[in-house]
Amino acid sequence: MHRIRPLWLLICLLGVALPAWAQTGTPLPTRPGLVPQDSLSAADTAWMLTSTALVLLMTLPGVALFYGGMVRKKNVLNTMAAVVAVASLVSLLWFAVGYSLAFTPGTSWLGGDARLWFSGLDYQKAVGKVAVSHAAPNVPESVYAMFQLTFAIITAALIVGAVVERMRFSALLWFTGLWSLLVYAPVAHWVWEPGGWLAQMGVLDFAGGAVVHINAGVSGLVCAHLLGPRRGYGREPFEPFNLGLTMAGAGLLWVGWFGFNAGSAVAADGRAGLAMAVTHIAAAAGAMSWMLGEWIVRRRPSLLGLCSGLVAGLVAITPAAGFVAPRDALLIGAVAGLVCYWGATGLKRLLNTDDSLDVFGVHGIGGIVGALMTGLLAHRGIAGVQGDVGVQALGALAVLLYSGCMSAVLLWFTKGLVGLRVDDESELTGLDLTQHRERMGT
């Protein structure tokens, strides 16, 4: 177990101080409430129901397959079990506390208690009224709350990729549960609730470049650093179990990402259509540019590189999806593929951290690239907003610092509670058997 170095202490101090410095004061005077049922849009509601299912598909089974195929055979079931358990745990915490903290008015830091246990998400057929969120007034609030739940799920599940093959299952659940309430919910409130301080400052994050990808990426990096490397890391080959599973997971991520980005329009309209188009273009550009970079450096392309590149393109277009034109998406995806290839190779060596499945190299770096390029390329004519690279950089930095700081604190707490890492014998045997008493078939 590594000791927390002065750099992490500085990150902690800055992560706490920056939101206080930039806080803008009172929240907007809007809040959830009841409206006549016939005031809602049936088309928007149908699209949001579909998008919710698509985003859940990204995690179950998308992330589970994507990650499960990349680890060694003795840890495949543990990796998949971690994704399923995280999805279930985050769902219950979102229902109980998380949604209210993230998406109700409160302060510019955190929401209130109006929607604890989904209270107030009413459907009153007798009087023809239904609850709606001020952030999505054309669909039932129950649909919007579930849509946002799927984002909370996948963000926490992404962190699994940084800690596979060595973290205690119990420690993962304790850390993830606390992280979803103390890191994800506040950051979602800052960026996506109209009264959040980053929203008021003008940070653009259409579908989660900062809230999802930078957030999960830097948390994964901190987890990997403080856990320490896997036994044999850098000295022996870690052969993936089945890259066919990884490709299947990547395909599900690509398809599900249409709900992720186009669903974030919260409407079945032209903006959703544009978001779908730019999402596909960026994914394809990311796959091709990663492949090109790998082909030049390693003299051959790989399936894993193509899968990683398409995810890099998807990550980078996420904050920009509702703000940029298709030609911009081509540029964003191409840049992200190359930069994330460097993030998963050269930068990873410089950081000297065993981020097992390159969560920071792909999601963290891709999220930063996307956030900055959103500020550079966002068109006022498309979304009625003008991008600002400085504001985008400040938003990305705020999330990076807060997430890194709180992740370190939560890991320290979890270590004292249940310990963080399995013993050497368990790691050598494999977590499938030692954590679950299960093993893959022949």
Side-chain angles (χ1 to χ4, degrees):
M1 178 66 182
H2 293 277
R3 302 177 68 180
I4 297 178
R5 298 176 180 177
L7 174 61
W8 294 114
L9 295 177
L10 177 61
I11 287 176
C12 290
L13 292 174
L14 290 174
V16 171
L18 186 56
W21 168 75
Q23 185 174 349
T24 56
T26 58
L28 298 179
T30 53
R31 59 186 58 252
L34 290 170
V35 300
Q37 170 75 21
D38 57 12
S39 70
L40 303 184
S41 166
D44 293 351
T45 301
W47 171 235
M48 293 306 297
L49 288 165
T50 303
S51 295
T52 299
L54 285 170
V55 181
L56 183 60
L57 183 75
M58 292 171 67
T59 304
L60 300 172
V63 171
L65 290 171
F66 187 71
Y67 283 171
M70 285 192 280
V71 298
R72 289 170 289 181
K73 182 179 179 180
K74 61 185 179 180
N75 296 310
V76 174
L77 298 181
N78 171 258
T79 301
M80 291 183 169
V83 174
V84 175
V86 164
S88 302
L89 176 61
V90 171
S91 295
L92 296 178
L93 292 173
W94 188 256
F95 159 63
V97 181
Y99 174 67
S100 191
L101 295 180
F103 287 99
T104 63
T107 70
S108 58
W109 287 55
L110 198 63
D113 61 0
R115 289 297 188 255
L116 298 180
W117 303 99
F118 276 13
S119 61
L121 269 65
D122 297 329
Y123 170 61
Q124 301 176 0
K125 182 176 181 179
V127 296
K129 289 192 173 183
V130 63
V132 300
S133 168
H134 55 300
N138 295 325
V139 302
E141 189 175 6
S142 56
V143 175
Y144 185 67
M146 287 297 297
F147 178 67
Q148 291 298 342
L149 165 61
T150 60
F151 280 69
I153 288 172
I154 194 168
T155 307
L158 289 175
I159 299 173
V160 171
V163 303
V164 291
E165 303 196 307
R166 64 208 192 271
M167 192 172 190
R168 289 177 181 268
F169 195 72
S170 59
L172 176 67
L173 295 182
W174 272 104
F175 172 78
T176 302
L178 293 169
W179 188 90
S180 71
L181 296 180
L182 299 177
V183 179
Y184 182 82
V187 171
H189 182 80
W190 296 353
V191 178
W192 284 337
E193 205 283 324
W197 69 275
L198 289 179
Q200 291 186 14
M201 194 171 66
V203 170
L204 302 179
D205 190 357
F206 189 72
V211 178
V212 176
H213 298 294
I214 296 176
N215 204 3
V218 71
S219 292
L221 181 65
V222 172
C223 288
H225 177 75
L226 296 182
L227 272 171
R230 291 166 289 178
R231 288 178 58 87
Y233 175 69
R235 301 189 305 274
E236 59 186 67
F238 290 174
E239 293 293 332
F241 166 65
N242 187 334
L243 289 180
L245 295 182
T246 297
M247 185 272 158
L252 288 168
L253 286 169
W254 194 336
V255 173
W257 225 289
F258 294 136
F260 199 84
N261 286 356
S264 292
V266 199
D269 61 8
R271 197 178 192 191
L274 179 63
M276 177 174 281
V278 299
T279 296
H280 191 75
I281 292 167
M288 295 301 289
S289 66
W290 185 303
M291 181 188 73
L292 178 62
E294 190 176 42
W295 212 330
I296 292 171
V297 173
R298 299 180 64 241
R299 304 300 183 189
R300 58 175 63 91
S302 69
L303 174 61
L304 181 58
L306 282 163
C307 292
S308 300
L310 76 87
V311 172
L314 291 168
V315 168
I317 196 61
T318 291
F323 306 127
V324 299
R327 284 180 294 182
D328 301 322
L330 178 66
L331 178 61
I332 290 172
V335 171
L338 290 173
V339 174
C340 290
Y341 175 57
W342 169 77
T345 54
L347 178 61
K348 186 175 183 177
R349 288 191 293 270
L350 288 174
L351 294 173
N352 194 30
T353 297
D354 182 15
D355 176 3
S356 309
L357 306 183
D358 299 314
V359 176
F360 182 73
V362 175
H363 294 275
I365 296 300
I368 292 170
V369 169
L372 296 178
M373 295 191 74
T374 299
L376 182 66
L377 299 173
H379 286 284
R380 183 179 294 278
I382 292 176
V385 293
Q386 186 66 46
D388 185 316
V389 174
V391 170
Q392 293 298 105
L394 181 59
L397 180 63
V399 173
L400 188 150
L401 293 175
Y402 178 76
S403 184
C405 167
M406 286 301 297
S407 295
V409 171
L410 295 177
L411 284 167
W412 169 80
F413 176 81
T414 303
K415 180 186 178 185
L417 194 66
V418 296
L420 288 179
R421 186 165 176 156
V422 299
D423 58 56
D424 289 349
E425 183 178 351
S426 296
E427 188 174 343
L428 287 171
T429 302
L431 274 60
D432 289 359
L433 194 60
T434 60
Q435 296 286 292
H436 310 287
R437 295 190 181 277
E438 296 176 307
R439 67 168 78 237
M440 291 291 295
T442 56

